[in-house]
Amino acid sequence: MEKQILITGSSRGIGRETALYLAKNGYDIVLHCNSNIQKAEEVLAEVKELGANGRILQFNIKDREECKKVLERDIEENGIYYGVVLNAGIARDNVFPILEEDEWDDVINTNLGGFYNVLKPIVMPMIEKRIKGRIVAMSSVSGLCGNRGQVNYSASKAGIIGAVKALSQELAKRGITVNAVAPGVIETDMIKDLPVDEVRKAIPMKRFGKAKEVASLVNYLISEDAAYITGQVISVNGGLYL
């Protein structure tokens, strides 16, 4: 059996590109989606075309009990994962004075709560099976620098950085690495409402990043070559600091 990689939020954007990139590099892919099973099935077909094995898990990363139930059952049936890519997340932008309670709660509970909900059922089995595995969490340039209208999103992504740094220390002696990737402005559905010309001017490279450029970094952090890299936050942002 090839090494299995669970990728949350893998039906589109960076998650989809990461799934395909890792499949090309010989990993079996465990795709995750919340609601759009059709998109996930399309990605699964592409994964299989690349010669990799794969399957789909459907659950809401905000729902702790559902995460536990689905992940524990999958591990029991198919074995523990070698790597986990925590990519799923949401943004609900609004300036803080009028930020609604549900806009705060949904983003924090999904992005930061999802870190706990997904990893909690996975980490102990990795330790018990002596898997010298890889955990990669998707943060953001917004989590490093903050961004107007994203107090909730910035808080969640900054929280992921703190969680990664702490968890990396706990798991280092087990040979399990834990790192964060902090993308800048990447060409995905999430930027469709941005003032693109204005944003592009603020980026020193004067272009948006490609999802493949993020996926290639994730692939490296998952690889055996990255065994001595842990607790790090690596930006893919074209020089942008908001």
Side-chain angles (χ1 to χ4, degrees), residues 47-66:
V47 164
K48 290 184 176 180
E49 284 175 10
L50 293 167
N53 294 317
R55 60 185 180 276
I56 298 170
L57 301 181
Q58 186 172 11
F59 57 89
N60 183 351
I61 65 170
K62 191 169 67 171
D63 187 326
R64 186 165 300 160
E65 288 305 312
E66 187 179 18

Side-chain angles (χ1 to χ4, degrees), residues 14-71:
I14 291 172
R16 172 186 175 276
E17 196 65 46
T18 299
L20 299 180
Y21 204 106
L22 293 177
K24 288 177 188 174
N25 282 275
Y27 298 99
D28 287 343
I29 307 300
V30 184
L31 301 163
H32 157 263
C33 69
N34 179 18
S35 56
N36 201 336
I37 189 71
Q38 181 179 345
K39 282 288 185 185
E41 288 172 347
E42 291 171 4
V43 179
L44 179 60
E46 292 181 89
V47 164
K48 290 184 176 180
E49 284 175 10
L50 293 167
N53 294 317
R55 60 185 180 276
I56 298 170
L57 301 181
Q58 186 172 11
F59 57 89
N60 183 351
I61 65 170
K62 191 169 67 171
D63 187 326
R64 186 165 300 160
E65 288 305 312
E66 187 179 18
C67 286
K68 184 175 186 291
K69 179 181 176 181
V70 172
L71 290 169

Side-chain angles (χ1 to χ4, degrees), residues 102 112 150:
D102 65 325
L112 189 53
Q150 290 194 319

